[in-house]
Amino acid sequence: MRKIFYVLLVIILACTLIFSGCGSSSSSSKISSTTTPPSQKNSTTANKKLKLGFNNFLKGFYSLDILEKSFKATADALNVDTMITNDEGKVEQSVQNVQNMISSGVDGIVFFGISDTLFPVVSQKCREAKIPFVIYDHIPSDKSMEILQQNPYFVGVVGEHDYDAGYPIGEYAANQGLKKAIVVTGKNTDTTHSARVKGFTDSFTKAGGRVLDVGWGNTTLADALSQTDDLLTAHPDVDCIYATGGDFGSGALQALQKHPNVKAKVFVTDLDPDILAGLKAGTITAANGAHWVNVDFATILLVNYLNNHPLRDSGNKAPVVTVPVLTLPNNQVSLYQKFWLNNEPFSVTELRNLTVPWNPNVTLNEVKSVISNYSIKSRLEEKQKEGLVTSDELKKAGIIN
Amino acid sequence: MTNEYIFRAEKLNKFFGPTHANNDVSISIQKGEIRGLIGENGSGKSTLISLISGIIQKDSGMMFLDGEPYEPKTPLDAFNHKIGTVVQELGLVDGLPIGVNIFLGRLDMFNKNGVIDLQGLYKAASEHLSYWNLGKFPVQNLASTLSVEEKKMVELARALSVNPNFLILDEITTAISLNNRKLLYSIIEQFKKQGKSVLLITHDLEEIIKITDNITIMRDGVVVDTRKSCELTPDILKRLMVGRELSGSYYRNDWEDQYEDDVVLSVCDLTVEEHFEDVSFDLHKGEILGICGLSDAGIHELGETIFGVIKPQKGSIYFISSNEKIKVKNSIHARKLGIGYVPKDRDKQALMINDSVENNICLPSIEILQGPFGYIRPAKMRKLSSKVVNDFEIKAKSISQYIRGLSGGNKQKINFARWMNEKVRILIMDCPTRGVDVGVKAYIYSVMNEAKKQGLSIIMISDELPELIGMCDRLLVMKEGKVVKTFYRSSGFTEESIMEVMM
Amino acid sequence: MKKGLWSSYQRIFPFISLILLIIIFSIIVGPKFWSVDNLVNIINQVVPLILGGAGMIFVVTQGGCDLSQGSALALVGTIAAMASNSLGFIAYFPVAIFLGALIGAFNGVIVSKFKVQSLMVTLAMMITLRAIVVYITGGQVIYVSSSVLLLDNFAIKISIFVTTMAVMYYLFEYTKIGFYSKVIGENEMVGIYTGISVDKYKILAFMISGIMAGIVGALTVGRIGGVDPAMGNFFELQVLMSLFVGGVPVTGGAGSKIYKLFIGALILSVLQNGLILSRVSAEVSELVEGIILIGVVFFTLYIRSKFIQVQSAGEN
Amino acid sequence: MKSVDSEKSYSLGKFQERRFLVSRYDIKKLLSVILIIIPYIIFNIFTKGRFMESSNILSILVHAVVPAFVAWGFCFIFTSGIMDLSIGAIMILACIVSGILAIKIGYFGLILGGILVSFALEYINLKCMIKTKIPSWVFGLGMAMIYEGIGALYGASQLKLGKQVVSLGVTARKLGSIPWIIIVLALGLIMAYIIFNRTSIGFDIRAVGSNREVAKMMGVDVTKAIIRGGLVGSVFIGLASAINESYAGRVMPTTGLNSIALIFIPLAVYLLAQAFEQIFNLTVAVIISSVIVESLFNILTILGVPSGTWQQVAVGACVIVCGVLAQRHYKGVVK
């Protein structure tokens, strides 16, 4: 009896294999039709809605989720389909999901790499599958960039240097005459946070301050709270606290309230609703962040590429675009809340203006100039033009006099 | 109307799958009656008791307690109906204090505003223990600090704590020593005087005849007969149980020391703290060496130490083969040298009850079975286990049947038979016939006899004097951790003379 | 005959749920599910799970568990990558295997000789090893040579997989290591009373688990293109899940079979892959995954309980 | 060996010897307390007295509260042999709901929300686990996925509104700060101690954990015991969630089984407590080990040991060493 079942099993497996053979032959022909070099692509995909893949490294993590939200809004604006995957905070899953998206037949991939080593690997996978991809948020190191640039399917990078997020805060804090700092941050294997810490430390020490301790390894608000508590016990003479993430900022702030004898100013990178509230209340001295617009422009680069209009740098290289990091003064908090968190900073028309079907002659320089002009002031002025904000409000925020 | 029966069961039926474990069982027990229940392993005694004490539910039939219909859903129901049960081979909850163990399941009676009055509980427990003269136990200590026998006594105390009108004792006497047995008899006597009833199960035929008023005999799930104890002899009982005539004696019938002069195992000055001290003896080829003693004489620990499970503080064990004297390091070494061990506790120490007959049989022989590159051929395992099952007449549906489904006797056969491979020179058997019916007992003795003739040396550790007297060439009597006397078969031994040394 | 049928059902049921899943996803996803790309994809996901599981199964069979596998994977991967960078690729696998065995041996010794619960030891090791990885990498990116990257090549990976699994299958099903592991899982006392070196086989099981973590670590480094201290995060849970979903008993013992691991890992991977390809949104997909996994385990158990009812007939 | 004549007094003598052992046991208790305290004094000298400052001791206690409550929950859930890995995910959901209710109706809502959610979800877990007979490991993992999914759905819905998950701000924060948190800790200890050691719920759950078969024979309703114990445990988990929400102000949902990381430290605390069980009562041991773990982080931070690396190594090593020490003379079977 058992043997009969085994035989049946083998037959079923054999059938599935045969099936797979048939299935694969049909689908592989499909793949080849959709992934022919960009020049011939227009004819086949003109009527088809593009489908873009996107990986969220850890669903449920605020700043990553808001990137996803931004991406979705941009994709809607540009009239493309999306496929969003959750890497569940696992590096292996990042690679796996790129392959899953390729199997699922996306036209291009908007990729977030938590680790620099992922870029060459993903580049390789996309090259094999002939799928173009663009990188957002994390800018690859020079070494990885060299490899990426050899890949014709590499569309570009839009991100910010995390070093540049920490550096100005350090400068700003030192200018206020602060001398002794502690830093509360995430895992020191997370390049985002380690770069921010490095930026801060560099500028702060350059200006004569001293970083007494760095609290690594936090993942949640409660972690950061407990750790800052310990750190403040260890260094009661501290006068500056820098938190490299929104949750860590909230935690540090609460811990500080438990130590009334410690007189320290709090600085945060990442702007989330809690931090905005803190800024408004004055408990946070200054905060900055890149406002998660990088993914918008990454998507624009990719859509242009897929519409047979690759935007190339001089020397026909894929562009690397850095988004400036903005510092938010507390009088602009409510407008920021309104136009960044509750809405998208860039309007649909603005986004479309940088993309091929709507603007067939868009150039890289146009995109770059929009990005380099990106500031709270310029954005709010734009919103005023659209009639969404009054000049009174702008005056109150100190944008116009 | 007063009811003369305390308990009555009518046409109880219980099925386990296709097995008809209890087939129209009817039994009536009078007030003040001491009833014995006897039968081979697998005859349905334990099932009947489980039904009465609410551990399992009947499929059909009726039970009456004191004339009232009685349908226990849980063991707690049984307690509430004043039925106290001591179940075979179970024990206590090790992680709880002794006192709590006595009242577990009914702790709410010490409930004071939602909190249990532990002081009151401990006090009640000590009073209860001293009332029945069961000894002074530190009731606030964990049950894990007790020995097997002490646990049995606490279990008895637990059964008595419901102030039962009907007490059920399943195989309690095999686990306890003589002095405690006497205590038990006096408790039973006291019950009788108070007009309460006891149902007693034991394999000790003489005991059961001695202390009970009537004996009910079960075979294959059916009640065969109920007879007055005074009219019975062990031989009649055996016949009734097995359903056929058994030859008068299943022991050896010679009275000589039959063994060769070669020493195969030499034990020198063996000491394990708190158990035994300075034990030395030699074991010869083809000898059956008996070891007996009261429950804390250290006989079981001695067996475990010889096999290497317990590490002795002092002394050593030498395995001697062809002029080579090898010190036995541990149990692994012992097995490799050819020493086998049949543990006392079948289900916990010997058998994987949720595994197949095949795997259980092959367990000690795996290293013999393996081929090049450590390859164990499944076919070889199957062959070996089929052979063992056939040779030893083990009643199993197939070699892939789980041990769990076998009766105690067949389990013990496997426990014993699997050591009968070509490598084993010495076999240590701890209570080889504990909880086993007469048929299997006889079989095991005959195999022992056979093996002895082939040159196997056996150390037989047992609480039961008759079987030691019946089987041993030499008998070491231990008392409080010391060997006090050695009896020789040729010089003859009687229960009385041994008992005198033991006590 | 009836019993034989039941026993076959019991064996076959996990297969049925796997095939059902495959059929359902073939319908939802369409031919894309059967594309060569996607099959390779599923295999890529299955390989580390099965390799890790083949190590873990020894520990689980003995009734323990090895939570440190994920962290061990990361540590081994990191050090092996560093070794291959300084000593050349020749050192890569030997270092990985040696280090994995070392970590496993440590776990095993603490569990067997010092009698500490395996859950406790490996949980502590999980925290400790991960911290050591973080210290070693120190926030720096460690790149690896191209020969390591080649390990992600399908043919090479499969050949490593097949050889390793052949050895593991042999060890588990046909040698005394596997047999004694099952004995220890069924009843450790039995092992002690029949003269089996329980401690030795426990250490050995943890060593095998460590070695497999090492091999998976080596492959993972190749797959993600370098060292990332976060690699192997929650790997051990995925592995445990595939074992248990496949029907390996949590308490260990004779019910452990390598084929169950294969099925469990396949169910898990097909499910994850299928849900992504069906473009179920990420929040919902986890929810659905949970429900389906519980469903699969439930039906497997249900069938088994039917089987045991028939089996234990005749029990008294 | 012993040499007493009559058997009765012989067995008595044996027990008296055991009583002597008991007093040795008390000495052992004292010794281990000293063994725990000495390194603290040494550390205090190293940290120039900063460690023993009353404010610092208080802050350690505060950090120990949530792990202690969760570990007490484990005492009632895991002791009966249920290894529920979904507790991390349950806690996240409980935190979120307690936050939402706290904003609406204050402290009552905070506590009610936490307890209600964890009670309900744990009830579902236990019921299904027992009904379906799925091993708790797998079931917990599966349920963790489901609960995480629900949390993620909520997070996504908030994001659409431009908000983060619920944040307490300044409302209902007293429960998570001194002195209330310490009072709650003391109350929790008393509650856990009494329920675990002085009620039939506690005894039943311990009996089931120690030996399920025997407990069943002794008239303990195993299913009921597990569910009742689990529900008591879930109240502790719920309280832990409420305190955590009040302490941290916001708890983020997560996915990919990352919620399990939330219970690693409490799990270590629970296992450590089990190791100390021979010396202290389990519920008391929970608080001791929770303080040990948290103070370890505190001391190492004060000493300037880098966080995220050597601190974790030290905690891991501490768990293993304590385990080894506690099991030194243990002879039984260990899985």
Side-chain angles (χ1 to χ4, degrees), chain C residues 28-176:
Chain C
I28 298 176
V29 179
K32 260 182 264 162
F33 186 75
W34 286 109
S35 67
V36 172
D37 265 3
N38 198 42
L39 292 181
V40 169
N41 212 349
I42 292 173
I43 289 168
N44 268 327
Q45 196 166 356
V46 155
V47 164
L49 283 182
I50 291 182
L51 285 178
M56 185 84 90
I57 199 169
F58 284 89
V59 180
V60 168
T61 301
Q62 295 183 354
C65 71
D66 184 0
L67 289 182
S68 70
Q69 231 188 17
S71 298
L73 180 162
L75 182 62
V76 170
T78 307
I79 292 181
M82 288 162 83
S84 87
N85 282 349
S86 55
L87 302 172
F89 183 66
I90 301 170
Y92 190 61
F93 272 103
V95 166
I97 290 170
F98 176 74
L99 200 64
L102 206 68
I103 293 169
F106 180 81
N107 282 337
V109 167
I110 301 280
V111 169
S112 66
K113 298 285 181 201
F114 296 96
K115 305 261 179 201
V116 187
Q117 273 183 64
S118 63
L119 185 70
M120 186 164 171
V121 177
T122 54
L123 181 75
M125 282 299 274
M126 168 195 202
I127 297 171
T128 308
L129 293 178
R130 181 71 63 187
I132 294 175
V133 179
V134 171
Y135 175 75
I136 290 175
T137 52
Q140 298 297 307
V141 182
I142 299 173
Y143 297 93
V144 287
S145 57
S146 55
S147 40
V148 173
L149 291 177
L150 217 62
L151 287 174
D152 200 35
N153 178 300
F154 189 70
I156 294 174
K157 197 189 231 175
I158 284 295
S159 46
I160 291 175
F161 173 71
V162 170
T163 28
T164 320
M165 280 317 292
V167 173
M168 284 297 130
Y169 191 82
Y170 178 73
L171 281 182
F172 190 74
E173 305 283 1
Y174 295 111
T175 69
K176 62 178 179 182

Side-chain angles (χ1 to χ4, degrees), chain A residues 59 216 230 234 247 254 274, chain D residues 50 63 173 250 255 298 307:
Chain A
K59 189 96 195 167
W216 292 105
D230 288 347
D247 273 355
Q254 289 177 29
D274 265 13
Chain D
R50 246 186 254 149
H63 298 167
R173 299 304 294 272
R250 182 180 62 213
T255 52
N298 182 282
S307 48

Side-chain angles (χ1 to χ4, degrees), chain A residues 10 14 29 42 46 88 94 112 115 124 163 193 197 203 246 290 326 365 383 399:
Chain A
V10 169
S29 64
N42 225 2
E88 302 184 338
S94 284
F112 173 90
S115 162
Q124 182 64 25
Y163 185 84
H193 294 297
V197 174
S203 62
L326 310 181
N365 283 338
K383 296 289 174 193
I399 304 276

Side-chain angles (χ1 to χ4, degrees), chain A residues 204-271:
Chain A
F204 196 68
T205 43
K206 207 162 116 191
R210 201 155 61 85
V211 176
L212 299 178
D213 211 336
V214 180
W216 292 105
N218 299 297
T219 47
T220 66
L221 202 164
D223 284 350
L225 173 47
S226 298
Q227 195 176 53
T228 316
D229 207 355
D230 288 347
L231 283 171
L232 290 177
T233 310
H235 310 286
D237 50 345
V238 75
D239 57 13
C240 167
I241 302 172
Y242 173 48
T244 63
D247 273 355
F248 311 146
S250 306
L253 204 58
Q254 289 177 29
L256 186 61
Q257 282 158 6
K258 291 182 201 283
H259 291 260
N261 55 331
V262 178
K263 300 272 174 286
K265 290 183 168 169
V266 180
F267 302 88
V268 186
T269 295
D270 268 4
L271 299 158

Side-chain angles (χ1 to χ4, degrees), chain B residues 18-19 47 335 348 373 376 397, chain C residues 170 174 187 194-195 313-314 316:
Chain B
T19 309
T47 308
R335 179 175 51 83
K348 293 212 177 85
F373 301 107
I376 300 164
K397 292 198 188 78
Chain C
Y170 178 73
Y174 295 111
N187 188 341
T194 34
N316 187 2

Side-chain angles (χ1 to χ4, degrees), chain A residues 1-2 5-6 9 12-13 16-17 19-21 23-28 30-31 51 57 59 68 72 81-86 88-93 95-105 114-121 125 129 141 143-144 187-189 191 194, chain C residues 1 4-5 7-9 11-12 15 19 22 31-42 44-45 73 133-135 137-144 149 152 220 222-235 238 272-273 276-277 279-283 286 289:
Chain A
M1 201 64 214
R2 199 197 288 171
F5 270 103
Y6 283 142
L9 203 83
I12 292 169
L13 284 181
T16 51
L17 276 179
F19 259 123
S20 75
S24 67
S25 63
S26 62
S27 63
S28 60
K30 200 173 278 168
I31 285 170
K51 187 163 94 181
F57 186 66
K59 189 96 195 167
E68 181 188 318
K72 266 195 227 154
D81 252 355
T82 60
M83 171 176 183
I84 293 164
T85 55
N86 177 8
E88 302 184 338
K90 301 183 187 82
V91 199
E92 300 90 331
Q93 194 69 27
V95 180
Q96 189 66 46
N97 275 341
V98 165
Q99 287 194 314
N100 281 336
M101 289 189 280
I102 292 171
S103 305
S104 154
I114 190 81
S115 162
D116 195 59
T117 57
L118 286 172
F119 297 121
V121 175
K125 305 263 178 240
S141 67
K143 194 176 163 176
S144 300
K187 294 187 173 148
N188 61 352
T189 54
T191 48
S194 45
Chain C
M1 199 57 196
L5 204 64
S7 105
S8 308
Y9 277 158
R11 257 164 213 276
I12 216 93
F15 283 102
I19 288 167
I22 291 175
K32 260 182 264 162
F33 186 75
W34 286 109
S35 67
V36 172
D37 265 3
N38 198 42
L39 292 181
V40 169
N41 212 349
I42 292 173
N44 268 327
Q45 196 166 356
L73 180 162
V133 179
V134 171
Y135 175 75
T137 52
Q140 298 297 307
V141 182
I142 299 173
Y143 297 93
V144 287
L149 291 177
D152 200 35
T220 306
R223 180 147 175 82
I224 64 173
V227 168
D228 188 290
M231 66 189 174
N233 224 351
F234 296 112
F235 177 71
Q238 299 259 341
Q272 280 172 359
N273 173 276
I276 291 172
L277 257 60
R279 295 176 64 196
V280 179
S281 82
E283 305 93 27
E286 201 185 0
E289 198 183 327

